[in-house]
């Protein structure tokens, strides 16, 4: 059983599991392509103009700079994306983050009082946005780069609505 199933209770049903939107990987991908192109250009210059130990030193320096840029600017965002989970079950909303140091938030669906989303023009094109969850007596929690944020908003709203029906309460009516 893989993550997130091993984080759930025995009778808890997984409804949605998402990583952040791929747009957060766009700058690291561009950085990787540019660093690789510049390293290739530098290796071409080294092959054409240097011989012997000068060539070896230039190749080693170019490889070291390329490796440093890739490890510094592309690997951390990729790992941050891979190890960030947004999970909705029939009972709660879970957010898990971190590679070495883990952090998480669990929000019981029954305690959610409001679900909102927002996205600008670029986010609308990419079908992503920020999900805002207001739980009873807490400050709003904002989660950025949620893929298909409108669908997640609707799904979470229905989960909250179903949870209030189970408790015997109805919004807008008093019994």
């Amino acid at each position: 059983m893989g993550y997130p199933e091993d984080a759930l209770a025995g009778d808890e049903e997984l409804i949605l599991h998402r990583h952040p939107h791929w747009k957060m990987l766009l700058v690291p991908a561009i950085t990787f392509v540019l660093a690789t192109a510049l390293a290739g250009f530098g290796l071409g210059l080294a092959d054409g103009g240097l011989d012997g130990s000068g060539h070896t030193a230039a190749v080693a320096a170019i490889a070291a700079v390329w490796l440093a840029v890739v490890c510094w600017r592309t690997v951390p965002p990729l790992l941050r994306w891979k190890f960030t989970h947004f999970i909705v079950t029939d009972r709660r909303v879970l957010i898990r983050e971190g590679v070495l140091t883990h952090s998480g938030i669990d929000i019981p669906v029954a305690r959610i009082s409001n679900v909102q989303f927002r996205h600008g023009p670029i986010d609308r094109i990419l079908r992503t946005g920020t999900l805002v969850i207001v739980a009873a007596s807490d400050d709003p929690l904002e989660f950025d780069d949620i893929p298909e944020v409108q669908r997640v908003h609707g799904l979470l709203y229905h989960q909250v609505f179903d949870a209030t029906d189970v408790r015997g309460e109805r919004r807008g009516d008093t019994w």
Side-chain angles (χ1 to χ4, degrees):
M1 184 181 303
Y3 193 81
E5 289 84 7
D6 57 357
L8 305 180
D11 58 343
E12 194 170 13
E13 180 184 341
L14 178 66
I15 296 172
L16 178 77
H17 175 218
R18 295 274 190 267
H19 293 284
H21 195 268
W22 57 263
K23 81 174 189 176
M24 75 180 293
L25 298 175
L26 195 56
V27 170
I30 291 170
T31 302
F32 178 79
V33 169
L34 287 176
T36 303
L38 289 173
F41 181 74
L43 289 174
L45 290 177
D47 279 345
L50 298 173
D51 290 328
S53 64
H55 178 266
T56 304
V59 168
I62 291 168
V65 169
W66 177 84
L67 185 62
V69 168
V70 166
C71 288
W72 175 49
R73 301 298 292 171
T74 64
V75 173
L78 178 64
L79 291 175
R80 196 169 21 259
W81 175 84
K82 178 68 177 161
F83 290 100
T84 299
H85 303 272
F86 181 81
I87 303 161
V88 178
T89 73
D90 58 340
R91 294 185 193 171
R92 57 191 170 144
V93 176
L94 297 89
I95 292 82
R96 299 289 187 263
E97 300 175 307
V99 178
L100 298 176
T101 303
H102 297 270
S103 64
I105 299 171
D106 289 10
I107 306 166
V109 171
R111 290 189 41 112
I112 295 174
S113 61
N114 191 352
V115 182
Q116 306 168 16
F117 72 92
R118 67 174 174 269
H119 51 192
I122 300 297
D123 285 343
R124 289 179 69 185
I125 292 169
L126 296 175
R127 298 175 62 199
T128 185
T130 300
L131 188 68
V132 181
I133 299 175
V134 180
S137 73
D138 290 337
D139 292 331
L141 299 169
E142 295 189 9
F143 305 103
D144 297 323
D145 297 327
I146 301 294
E148 299 179 9
V149 70
Q150 285 181 297
R151 180 177 168 263
V152 174
H153 170 266
L155 183 127
L156 196 51
Y157 174 77
H158 288 293
Q159 285 298 114
V160 170
F161 185 73
D162 290 346
T164 58
D165 283 349
V166 168
R167 290 192 316 240
E169 302 170 0
R170 289 180 48 187
R171 293 182 188 251
D173 293 336
T174 53
W175 292 44

